Amino acid sequence: MNLLEVKSITKKYKAFSLGPIDLALPQGTILGLIGRNGSGKTTTIKAILNMINLDGGSISVFGMDHRKHEQEIKQRIGFVPDECSLPPTLNAGQVEKFLSPLFPQWDSAWFEELAERFAIPMNQKIKEFSKGMKMKLMLACALAHRPDLLILDEATSGLDPVVRNEILDLLREYLMESERGIILSSHITSDLEKTADYIAFIDGGKIRLSMCMDDIQNDYGIVKCSRSDLEKLDSSIVIARSTGTFGTSALVSNRRAARQLLPNAVTERATLDDIMLYLTKEESK
């Protein structure tokens, strides 16, 4: 069963158009959203949360229409934005007292456990927190009602590696109950390479790539060679190419086939950063 199904959604603004976007999130998995600033990642998340009116398409969350059953759905979603949205003059204890009545499933003992794990000072005002501590508090709040779907929109951006690892460890634990799922939008592609089961690359408001992370890591590659050698590759595996001063390189969907055809070329595994860079360049097949 898919926790989330996004089907052909569109949204037009004066200077930007989203879609059509199609996404799915199976139970027990993490979907990583990657893309440049302004590519449409946050707009897609806002659409899922019914924070914007769509021009077309449909969204189903937990098998329910995201508009007709908005209140019921949001009781089962935890959301962490890229900036702290909690009142800066409150402390963590006051935030817990404010939020707990809003969620019937709120677990105060679990919130306190998370606060202790993250060493969150309960009596200190939020405005005195570091960015990392604010994100930890927001994550604790998002998890306190034990949601079935957790959405993080650039929540780890700007955090040091130690804090990011703490958060990623908690996300892995969260998924131990297989009926849950996570959408993780991030510029830090190395985090997604470690944690995501599926990747969706959004650029210019459209999905440029959507596939299993294992397939990307097992199959995709970068081939560096001369222009004449590159022409020997089967065009069906060449996704994008780049020509520079010292030669030509290409993003391919089957690096083993590329090695067989061009044994003397340099062929490496493609990272998510590589894929983003090649797919946003002007040169295509």
Side-chain angles (χ1 to χ4, degrees):
M1 174 183 172
N2 290 329
L3 290 177
L4 169 72
E5 292 184 354
V6 176
K7 296 182 179 179
S8 302
I9 64 168
T10 58
K11 176 65 178 180
K12 291 186 178 180
Y13 297 96
K14 288 185 178 179
F16 176 76
S17 293
L18 180 76
I21 296 289
D22 291 274
L23 293 171
L25 177 67
Q27 288 181 330
T29 64
I30 296 177
L31 171 63
L33 294 181
I34 61 174
R36 296 179 289 181
N37 287 332
S39 62
K41 302 189 304 298
T42 296
T43 305
T44 300
I45 289 174
K46 287 181 177 180
I48 294 169
L49 295 172
N50 198 28
M51 296 171 66
I52 59 174
N53 293 320
L54 295 173
D55 296 322
S58 64
I59 298 175
S60 173
V61 188
F62 312 127
M64 297 179 285
D65 182 275
H66 82 303
R67 288 167 294 191
K68 294 180 181 178
H69 302 277
E70 179 179 7
Q71 185 173 354
E72 182 179 351
I73 287 171
K74 287 187 175 179
Q75 287 292 328
R76 299 171 60 187
I77 291 180
F79 175 55
V80 183
D82 60 341
E83 295 290 342
C84 182
S85 58
L86 300 173
T89 57
L90 299 184
N91 60 40
Q94 291 169 328
V95 167
E96 198 270 340
K97 290 180 180 178
F98 171 75
L99 292 177
S100 57
L102 303 179
F103 297 93
Q105 302 301 320
W106 186 277
D107 188 336
S108 293
W110 172 229
F111 176 83
E112 291 174 7
E113 183 179 330
L114 290 171
E116 183 176 352
R117 173 174 176 169
F118 282 148
I120 296 173
M122 298 298 289
N123 297 316
Q124 184 177 335
K125 291 183 178 180
I126 295 172
K127 65 181 180 181
E128 299 170 358
F129 282 16
S130 65
K131 181 173 182 179
M133 194 60 69
K134 289 176 181 177
M135 287 298 109
K136 288 179 181 181
L137 175 58
M138 291 187 67
L139 182 58
C141 292
L143 289 173
H145 63 288
R146 300 187 181 275
D148 295 316
L149 172 60
L150 182 64
I151 301 176
L152 297 93
D153 187 11
E154 297 289 355
T156 59
S157 178
L159 304 183
D160 65 64
V162 174
V163 175
R164 293 205 325 267
N165 280 333
E166 285 185 89
I167 291 175
L168 294 176
D169 285 344
L170 183 58
L171 296 184
R172 295 186 189 100
E173 293 176 23
Y174 166 83
L175 274 187
M176 289 179 69
E177 294 188 25
S178 60
E179 71 275 8
R180 294 172 173 171
I182 297 173
I183 298 174
L184 179 57
S185 169
S186 179
H187 284 104
I188 308 172
T189 55
S190 60
D191 288 350
L192 296 178
E193 287 174 332
K194 295 175 186 175
T195 59
D197 299 289
Y198 298 93
I199 291 293
F201 171 45
I202 302 178
D203 189 56
K206 299 184 182 300
I207 298 285
R208 297 290 306 277
L209 177 144
S210 180
M211 62 188 304
C212 175
M213 188 69 226
D214 285 345
D215 290 340
I216 293 174
Q217 293 178 325
N218 291 333
D219 299 331
Y220 276 56
I222 302 296
V223 179
K224 299 176 182 179
C225 59
S226 66
R227 182 187 291 270
S228 60
D229 279 344
L230 186 59
E231 298 304 322
K232 300 175 184 177
L233 287 179
D234 185 340
S235 61
S236 66
I237 70 170
V238 178
I239 298 171
R241 64 181 69 189
S242 174
T243 302
T245 305
F246 300 103
T248 302
S249 62
L251 172 68
V252 297
S253 59
N254 189 331
R255 65 176 183 271
R256 293 171 185 81
R259 282 198 185 103
Q260 289 180 346
L261 288 168
L262 300 176
N264 296 322
V266 177
T267 304
E268 305 167 338
R269 184 179 72 84
T271 65
L272 290 181
D273 279 344
D274 291 330
I275 291 172
M276 287 179 61
L277 287 170
Y278 277 82
L279 288 179
T280 52
K281 288 179 180 178
E282 293 183 0
E283 291 186 69
S284 57
K285 294 182 182 180

